[in-house]
Amino acid sequence: WSKQNFMIEMCFNLGYHLKSFKQANKALRQGDIPKAIKEYKDSLWAKQVGNNRVSDLMYLLKYKRYKDE
């Protein structure tokens, strides 16, 4: 499932720091994908990695597939 793929990608990118996304991770656990996306997009991480990477990962989370599939 894409939520698992998404979390694998995020773990790869952030490692241990993934746990610092408390509100986003909580929303994801509760199935509130729009809120999780907003929280991830509003983060310092999103500003640091750039729009292309963030956009790709949020697309995966929202549509349950990678953009190029």
Side-chain angles (χ1 to χ4, degrees):
W1 190 82
S2 72
K3 189 159 75 169
Q4 290 173 334
N5 291 347
F6 174 79
M7 291 307 290
I8 290 167
E9 294 276 354
M10 292 298 283
C11 273
F12 180 79
N13 281 278
L14 296 163
Y16 183 74
H17 299 287
L18 180 59
K19 74 177 197 149
S20 66
F21 290 81
K22 293 181 185 344
Q23 294 301 316
N25 293 337
K26 179 180 177 183
L28 198 55
R29 280 193 307 276
Q30 293 174 341
D32 189 348
I33 302 302
K35 181 173 180 170
I37 289 172
K38 180 186 179 317
E39 293 291 333
Y40 286 120
K41 281 183 163 183
D42 289 345
S43 70
L44 176 60
W45 162 80
K47 291 171 183 60
Q48 292 173 333
V49 299
N51 193 48
N52 287 341
R53 184 69 178 140
V54 173
S55 176
D56 288 348
L57 288 170
M58 297 307 113
Y59 186 94
L60 170 62
L61 187 55
K62 186 173 183 178
Y63 296 108
K64 302 177 175 67
R65 64 184 180 90
Y66 292 97
K67 278 186 177 180
D68 57 359
E69 288 183 343

